[in-house]
RNA sequence: GGGCGCGUAGCUCAGUGGUAGAGCACACCCUUCACACGGGUGGGGUCGUAGGUUCAAACCCUACCGCGCCCACCA
């Protein structure tokens, strides 16, 4: 038995214990025969560092994991990191930039080498920080979403979805981020209100019989106007339907069409239609018979003006940015007298959630997941109760989103990520199209071969030409040639030097791969032992902010590929806010650094605070005073242990409660039993605040304030035995919340095993109602005496 | 436009049909041999507003006020 120091210093013990647990493999002791229990950690970005949100999320997970481990289960907490496509590419690109190295100059392969190098060096700092928190995850099982094996799983899923018709390529408008020059999904777009203007323009009729007024918030896109729409029932314009207008800037002749999209109440009731640059107009355009391939495009990838297919944009506008193009166009319109009116107006404007720039609807070929079909079983799983959602209020949000889900754009024009397993080649059939102005465009058809390997794609290509009963191009019989890019391929093609394939340059949305986390980390698609034992996971804990991004997609992919829900319970927690309730952000400078709090108060205090403040369905307003308070609680516990030690109270030799005669001992045993019951109930309901409340009040309000005071100076053998047992139960019950101090105090006595693998309490005892009544009476009596004494101003030194 | 949540002591939050709770803060007392990161005592709330249901409402219902969040193509 080692003597405890007088003061409790978390810093002195935390690192030592973590190292001990990890090196002895105690986070996942060998329990092949035990009942499995599984949770996967939302993989933090490799670029990330531990912020307070991670601290909350992982505390909640660790609390459950530690208890399940103590319940004797084979508790597996899967840990790993996410490659985080855009975020990581940005970081590495910035690093290279500072060394005057440009991504475009060094090329894809060299750039990816740099990313991997960066990942090896500084990536994953966050996993080291997770250790500070005490996260008892299975590091031997650590995964990365770009591990070779994981990549195979991702590729397999993509190819399978393609075979099942759930993944397809389509040309349509996407949310285009002109800063990162990639497509992004609907979820990555944040709509914000921006003070803007509402322009009313006058478009002259082509037959010079008048003009029609149209209104717009984006005059610059008029360069790609293809129609003017009016409501079919709008009497004012009925006679104009079918006529043409002569576009005031491009001179393009554009039809006036009838479409219900035009709202007679709004503006003039007539609206310009720019199918290539507006989501509504795209639909109107399709209804009007325009094919996506023929829709006019006036922007390049950076949203600078480029010439439309019909060559009608005036030279002086080419190359201008969106903003400058707007100014120039408005000026021109004004000059021509085509500008009728300008009004101030608040415009809901789409922004890229990472880039912060205005998103441009842009016509491109992208890969889409048929999310609606995948969503159905995920929707049902919650409705049928196969997934329990805690708190229940999120069920509605779940239904609402999945019921209205749109196709998910999964291709990204980035380099860092899972390369899309598609190879393209000539379709070997000409498909000429005729545009609205009667001009014929030669189109070279492109055929996609989706396969897990290049060899497979080559074979598919060969099979394809054979099916068309065409002779295989030179070299194809041996192996279809593959070149780097489409440009390279077409060049060879034009020169008559073969018809090679080229691989898709794009990568997949990061969330596409993280959606596989609950099973791909367990070895899927191989039928591993881990997979059989640990899928479905028991519970997932995540912030509600990634409910759609991650949770819902995990459910969709999990059910599709595993035939079962990914987890039985989905627990959603809120955001951690500052003491004033404001959202923490780096720019506001109100972030709380969890590592700083750990330095000042210890990991146990931070963990206890986060758990105590985690009440379902509410955000957490973190106040440092609270952390300080629970640091004090740890000190209280520490001193109780010292007191017991001074009085010769050692370790308990039994898990079951000892036999006791004295009412005070029988009472405290009953109090342990009741506390345990409260704690177990709180765990069943995932009520972290109640867990913390139950153990806090038992330790401080019952054990320290009353039991210890009552037995002071009267430590007979029975009392020592009971005190030892009760205190051991405290250590066990508190361990999931405060693992470090409890393990340290546990080890103050000789023990056959560490607390982390000790058994969860089974007192095999009952509350003794007589002892309880007696002690309750005594507590009340003493309290009343004290109260009376204070009220009568009796000096405390006076003897009763 | 739709959906969700919140409004209880100075602050942060539990409670959810039957005499209002916790922590912190505050006031007073205590350098008593585990602990001043402590011990003891105490003050403080017409539970957002207005109706309704009920023997009984902070808790259920309705409306309203205030705050926050999410989703949605109003040019």
């Amino acid at each position: 038995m080692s003597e405890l120091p007088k003061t409790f210093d978390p810093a002195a013990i935390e690192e030592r214990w973590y190292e001990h647990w990890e090196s002895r493999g105690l986070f996942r002791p060998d329990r092949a025969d035990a009942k499995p229990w599984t949770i996967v950690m939302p993989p933090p970005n490799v670029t990330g560092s531990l912020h307070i949100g991670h601290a909350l999320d992982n505390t909640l997970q660790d609390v459950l994991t530690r208890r399940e481990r103590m319940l004797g289960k084979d508790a597996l907490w899967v840990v790993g990191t996410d490659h985080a496509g855009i975020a990581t590419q940005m970081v590495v690109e910035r690093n290279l930039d500072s060394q005057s190295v440009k991504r475009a100059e060094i090329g894809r392969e060299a750039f990816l080498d740099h990313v991997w190098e960066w990942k090896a060096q500084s990536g994953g700092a966050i996993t080291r920080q997770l250790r500070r928190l005490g996260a008892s995850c299975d590091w031997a099982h650590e995964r990365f979403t770009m591990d070779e094996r994981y990549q195979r799983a991702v590729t397999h899923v993509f190819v399978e979805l393609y075979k099942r018709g759930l993944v397809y390529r389509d040309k349509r408008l996407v949310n285009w981020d002109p800063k990162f020059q990639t497509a992004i999904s609907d979820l990555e777009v944040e709509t914000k209100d921006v003070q803007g203007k509402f322009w009313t323009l006058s478009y002259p009729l082509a037959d010079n019989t008048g003009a029609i007024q149209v209104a717009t918030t984006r005059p610059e896109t008029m360069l790609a106007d293809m129609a003017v729409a009016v409501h079919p029932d709008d009497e004012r314009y009925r006679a104009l339907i079918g006529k043409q207008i002569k576009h005031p800037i491009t001179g393009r002749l554009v039809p006036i069409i009838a479409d219900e999209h035009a709202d007679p109440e709004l503006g003039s009731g007539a609206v310009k239609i720019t199918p290539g640059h507006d989501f509504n107009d795209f639909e109107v355009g399709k209804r009007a018979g325009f094919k996506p391939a023929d829709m006019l495009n006036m922007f390049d990838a950076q949203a600078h003006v480029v010439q439309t297919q019909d060559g009608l944009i005036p030279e002086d506008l080419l190359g201008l940015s969106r903003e400058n193009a707007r100014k120039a166009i408005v000026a021109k319109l004004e000059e021509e007298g085509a500008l009728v009116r300008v009004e101030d107006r608040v415009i809901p404007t789409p922004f890229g959630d990472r880039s912060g720039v205005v998103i441009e609807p842009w016509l491109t070929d992208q890969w889409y997941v048929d999310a609606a079909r995948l969503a159905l079983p995920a929707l049902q799983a919650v409705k049928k109760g196969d997934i329990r959602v805690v708190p229940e209020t999120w069920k509605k949000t779940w239904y609402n989103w999945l019921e209205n889900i749109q196709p998910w754009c999964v291709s990204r024009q980035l380099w860092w990520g899972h390369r899309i397993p598609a190879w393209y080649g000539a379709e070997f059939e000409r498909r000429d199209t005729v545009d609205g102005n009667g001009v014929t465009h030669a189109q070279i058809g492109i055929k996609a071969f989706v396969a897990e390997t290049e060899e497979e794609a080559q074979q598919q290509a060969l099979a394809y030409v054979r099916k068309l009963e065409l002779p295989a191009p030179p070299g194809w019989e041996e192996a279809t040639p593959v070149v780097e890019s489409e440009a390279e391929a077409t060049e060879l093609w034009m020169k008559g030097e073969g018809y090679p394939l080229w691989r898709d340059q794009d990568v997949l949305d990061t969330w596409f791969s993280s959606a596989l986390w609950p099973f791909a980390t367990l070895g899927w698609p191989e039928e591993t032992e881990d997979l059989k034992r640990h899928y479905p996971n028991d519970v997932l804990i995540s912030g509600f902010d990634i409910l759609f991004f991650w949770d819902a997609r995990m459910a969709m992919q999990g059910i599709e590929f595993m035939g079962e829900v990914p987890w039985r319970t989905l627990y959603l927690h809120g955001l951690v806010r500052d003491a004033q309730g404001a959202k923490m952000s780096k720019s506001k400078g109100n972030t709380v650094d969890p590592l700083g709090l750990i330095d000042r108060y210890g990991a146990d205090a931070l963990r206890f605070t986060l758990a105590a403040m985690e009440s379902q369905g509410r955000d957490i307003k973190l106040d440092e005073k609270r952390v300080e308070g629970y640091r004090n609680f740890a000190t209280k516990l520490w001193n109780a242990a010292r007191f017991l030690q001074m009085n010769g109270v050692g370790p308990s030799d039994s898990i079951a409660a000892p036999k006791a005669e004295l009412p005070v001992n029988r009472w405290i045993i009953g109090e342990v039993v009741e506390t345990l019951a409260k704690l177990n109930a709180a765990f069943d309901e995932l009520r972290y605040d109640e867990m913390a409340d139950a153990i806090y009040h038992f330790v401080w309000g019952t054990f320290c304030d009353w039991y210890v005071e009552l037995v002071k100076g009267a430590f007979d053998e029975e009392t020592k035995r009971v005190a030892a047992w009760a205190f051991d139960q405290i250590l066990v019950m508190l361990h999931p919340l405060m693992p470090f101090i409890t393990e340290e105090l546990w080890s103050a006595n000789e023990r056959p095993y560490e607390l982390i693998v000790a058994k969860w309490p089974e007192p095999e005892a009952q509350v003794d109602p007589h002892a309880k009544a007696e002690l309750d009476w005594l507590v009340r009596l003493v309290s009343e005496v004290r109260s009376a004494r204070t009220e009568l101003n009796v000096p405390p030194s006076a003897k009763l």
Side-chain angles (χ1 to χ4, degrees):
Chain A
M1 183 169 99
S2 58
E3 199 182 320
L4 291 169
K6 286 198 175 125
T7 52
F8 166 52
D9 177 15
I13 66 158
E14 290 179 354
E15 201 186 331
R16 176 162 51 80
W17 276 117
Y18 198 90
E19 220 284 310
H20 179 92
W21 292 326
E22 188 177 353
S23 63
R24 305 286 164 97
L26 295 175
F27 293 146
R28 196 162 177 222
D30 190 10
R31 292 176 178 173
D33 299 329
K35 198 176 168 212
W37 183 87
T38 316
I39 186 167
V40 295
M41 181 190 296
N45 290 356
V46 270
T47 52
S49 55
L50 193 81
H51 59 66
I52 196 74
H54 293 120
L56 170 66
D57 195 52
N58 288 292
T59 294
L60 302 182
Q61 295 174 71
D62 194 44
V63 168
L64 296 190
T65 306
R66 285 180 183 270
R67 174 162 175 272
E68 295 294 340
R69 189 182 298 115
M70 290 178 124
L71 285 168
K73 293 186 195 157
D74 174 19
L76 168 63
W77 185 10
V78 174
V79 62
T81 44
D82 193 294
H83 67 281
I86 292 182
T88 309
Q89 180 158 330
M90 267 170 61
V91 168
V92 175
E93 203 166 343
R94 208 182 304 129
N95 289 347
L96 289 175
D97 231 42
S98 67
Q99 300 160 39
S100 303
V101 179
K102 296 277 175 246
R103 175 167 70 97
E105 284 164 19
I106 61 173
R108 185 166 191 144
E109 250 179 78
F111 178 76
L112 290 179
D113 286 344
H114 277 108
V115 179
W116 280 106
E117 195 186 315
W118 175 86
K119 196 257 173 189
Q121 278 176 12
S122 49
I126 191 164
T127 57
R128 291 190 287 281
Q129 296 171 329
L130 279 167
R131 289 172 162 90
R132 294 281 319 271
L133 193 68
S136 65
C137 30
D138 184 12
W139 295 106
H141 195 109
E142 190 174 351
R143 296 285 184 266
F144 179 49
T145 52
M146 286 291 282
D147 286 340
E148 204 200 323
R149 198 164 158 181
Y150 202 99
Q151 289 202 43
R152 282 206 301 272
V154 173
T155 303
H156 186 64
V157 163
F158 187 90
V159 172
E160 273 301 312
L161 287 175
Y162 179 76
K163 285 183 190 161
R164 297 175 194 180
L166 292 165
V167 139
Y168 55 92
R169 196 163 166 78
D170 196 12
K171 186 191 263 309
R172 64 165 72 173
L173 288 185
V174 277
N175 300 300
W176 183 262
D177 187 319
K179 182 173 175 192
F180 294 140
Q181 299 183 41
T182 177
I184 59 177
S185 72
D186 297 347
L187 283 179
E188 291 160 276
V189 176
E190 284 174 359
T191 306
K192 288 186 229 163
D193 283 342
V194 169
Q195 193 52 243
K197 290 192 189 331
F198 193 62
W199 285 269
T200 302
L201 316 175
S202 177
Y203 281 11
L205 296 176
D207 58 11
N208 281 322
T209 56
I212 187 167
Q213 289 189 2
V214 296
T216 181
T217 55
R218 295 199 61 194
E220 66 277 15
T221 62
M222 74 189 300
L223 299 178
D225 281 351
M226 297 181 77
V228 166
V230 296
H231 194 95
D233 301 335
D234 195 332
E235 297 297 339
R236 297 170 292 179
Y237 299 114
R238 188 159 280 174
L240 296 181
I241 295 169
K243 287 193 171 194
Q244 287 186 314
I245 62 105
K246 185 162 191 287
H247 193 272
I249 292 193
T250 61
R252 183 181 302 128
L253 296 179
V254 153
I256 295 172
I257 60 171
D259 193 286
E260 301 203 334
H261 165 68
D263 181 353
E265 306 292 311
L266 203 66
S268 63
V271 58
K272 71 185 200 63
I273 299 298
T274 318
H277 297 282
D278 181 280
F279 287 103
N280 288 315
D281 294 4
F282 180 77
E283 295 303 323
V284 175
K286 279 205 301 193
R287 284 197 289 272
F290 297 116
K291 298 230 166 48
D294 304 327
M295 290 177 183
L296 295 176
N297 170 50
M298 54 163 284
F299 282 134
D300 64 11
Q302 294 177 75
H304 291 169
V305 177
V306 290
Q307 189 56 270
T308 44
Q309 293 93 311
D310 58 11
L312 292 173
I313 296 182
E315 284 293 321
D316 56 326
L317 294 174
L318 297 177
L320 296 180
S321 68
R322 294 179 278 189
E323 298 75 16
N324 290 336
R326 175 177 297 185
K327 282 180 207 150
I329 287 163
V330 170
K332 271 180 189 276
L333 290 169
E334 215 165 355
E335 225 169 87
E336 293 178 25
L339 182 60
V340 180
R341 190 165 49 240
V342 186
E343 295 152 74
D344 285 328
R345 184 148 176 176
V346 174
I347 316 286
T349 309
F351 290 87
D353 64 350
R354 297 205 93 94
S355 67
V357 302
V358 175
I359 292 306
E360 195 61 49
W362 204 40
L363 197 56
T364 53
D365 290 296
Q366 303 287 344
W367 288 97
Y368 292 88
V369 168
D370 183 352
R373 269 169 68 189
L374 289 173
L376 268 175
L379 190 65
Q380 284 305 315
V382 171
K383 284 201 168 148
K384 284 189 301 188
D386 293 345
I387 295 173
R388 166 191 173 213
V389 178
V390 182
E392 283 214 336
T393 160
W394 288 106
K395 281 161 83 169
K396 253 195 177 153
T397 309
W398 180 272
Y399 299 150
N400 194 42
W401 192 66
L402 289 173
E403 279 165 3
N404 297 297
I405 197 163
Q406 297 300 309
W408 172 19
C409 175
V410 291
S411 41
R412 298 288 178 275
Q413 286 65 50
L414 302 172
W415 285 353
W416 175 238
H418 298 272
R419 189 93 176 252
I420 290 175
W423 284 260
Y424 303 101
E427 203 171 25
F428 295 109
E429 287 171 299
R430 277 190 71 133
R431 297 199 178 176
D432 294 348
T433 57
V434 182
D435 69 16
N437 294 326
V439 179
T440 301
H441 299 273
Q443 298 254 317
I444 298 162
I446 300 291
K447 173 86 184 161
F449 303 102
V450 174
E452 295 196 33
T453 61
E454 190 170 289
E455 293 72 40
E456 256 179 69
Q458 290 169 315
Q459 280 163 18
Q460 282 184 26
L462 188 58
Y464 170 71
V465 289
R466 283 192 176 137
K467 206 174 156 202
L468 289 178
E469 298 183 348
L470 292 169
W476 278 43
E477 293 295 350
E478 297 81 58
T480 315
V482 178
V483 295
E484 255 314 294
S485 64
E486 179 171 3
E488 212 176 314
T490 26
E491 200 188 320
L492 290 169
W493 195 358
M494 293 310 187
K495 285 196 282 188
E497 292 175 12
Y499 300 92
L501 303 180
W502 67 92
R503 184 162 181 182
D504 196 313
Q505 298 295 297
D506 296 346
V507 300
L508 288 163
D509 181 3
T510 304
W511 296 104
F512 184 91
S513 53
S514 36
L516 319 181
W517 195 243
F519 52 97
T521 52
L522 298 171
W524 187 88
E526 282 165 51
E527 286 265 335
T528 61
E529 199 52 36
D530 268 347
L531 189 64
K532 273 183 249 167
R533 276 172 70 71
H534 295 283
Y535 191 96
N537 306 163
D538 285 80
V539 55
L540 181 85
I541 294 186
S542 98
F544 66 74
D545 52 329
I546 52 173
L547 179 64
F548 305 145
F549 277 110
W550 193 48
D551 306 349
R553 282 154 176 181
M554 270 190 286
M556 287 161 38
Q557 299 283 40
I559 296 170
E560 178 69 19
F561 286 95
M562 298 297 296
E564 269 186 287
V565 297
W567 3 262
R568 301 280 178 220
T569 298
L570 170 61
Y571 182 92
L572 295 157
H573 63 253
L575 264 43
V576 183
R577 296 169 177 278
D578 70 9
Q580 278 71 46
K583 199 168 170 175
M584 289 188 185
S585 72
K586 278 177 217 150
S587 53
K588 259 188 271 178
N590 61 345
T591 53
V592 171
D593 175 18
L595 300 171
L597 289 173
I598 291 172
D599 288 340
R600 269 166 290 169
Y601 304 105
D604 288 332
L606 175 62
R607 292 167 59 107
F608 202 93
T609 306
L610 293 169
M613 301 191 77
E614 171 60 17
S615 59
Q616 290 176 5
R618 216 183 236 275
D619 285 345
I620 289 180
K621 284 181 202 163
L622 189 66
D623 186 350
E624 190 164 330
K625 294 294 282 180
R626 214 47 200 266
V627 187
E628 188 186 334
Y630 291 122
R631 187 274 318 267
N632 297 349
F633 173 63
T635 307
K636 184 75 182 176
L637 180 76
W638 183 267
N639 282 298
R642 283 181 61 218
F643 175 76
L644 295 179
Q645 194 178 56
M646 286 172 186
N647 285 279
V649 174
S652 177
D653 53 12
S654 84
I655 288 169
K659 296 277 166 283
E661 298 296 330
L662 289 173
V664 70
N665 287 331
R666 296 176 67 79
W667 166 74
I668 198 67
I669 289 169
E671 292 293 309
V672 170
V673 170
E674 286 193 333
T675 303
L676 177 66
K678 275 187 216 165
L679 209 50
N680 283 336
F683 270 102
D684 288 346
E685 291 159 33
L686 296 170
R687 285 299 303 254
Y688 289 91
D689 52 345
E690 286 178 4
M691 295 172 203
D693 186 69
I695 191 72
Y696 181 93
H697 285 103
F698 176 69
V699 170
W700 204 319
T702 304
F703 189 81
C704 292
D705 284 352
W706 291 102
Y707 182 72
V708 168
E709 294 301 327
L710 290 168
V711 301
K712 243 179 204 176
F715 273 105
D716 56 28
E717 284 311 307
E718 177 190 293
T719 302
K720 279 189 193 173
R721 239 184 355 261
V722 171
W725 176 82
F727 193 71
D728 275 6
Q729 305 316 298
I730 286 174
L731 295 180
V732 175
M733 291 190 290
L734 186 55
H735 182 260
L737 290 158
M738 293 190 147
F740 293 108
I741 188 176
T742 50
E743 185 76 86
E744 176 71 9
L745 292 175
W746 176 264
S747 77
N749 288 304
E750 282 295 326
R751 304 283 186 172
Y753 44 77
E754 289 85 347
L755 179 61
I756 188 174
V757 289
K759 259 189 130 162
W760 190 250
E762 287 173 25
E764 296 174 30
Q766 311 283 313
V767 173
D768 175 352
H770 299 294
K772 187 173 172 65
E774 192 173 337
L775 267 292
D776 282 353
W777 174 82
L778 182 66
V779 165
R780 213 176 319 120
L781 175 73
V782 172
S783 301
E784 274 168 25
V785 169
R786 281 173 180 165
S787 179
R789 185 162 67 176
T790 305
E791 275 162 29
L792 298 172
N793 275 322
V794 178
S797 51
K799 291 278 179 201
L800 282 174

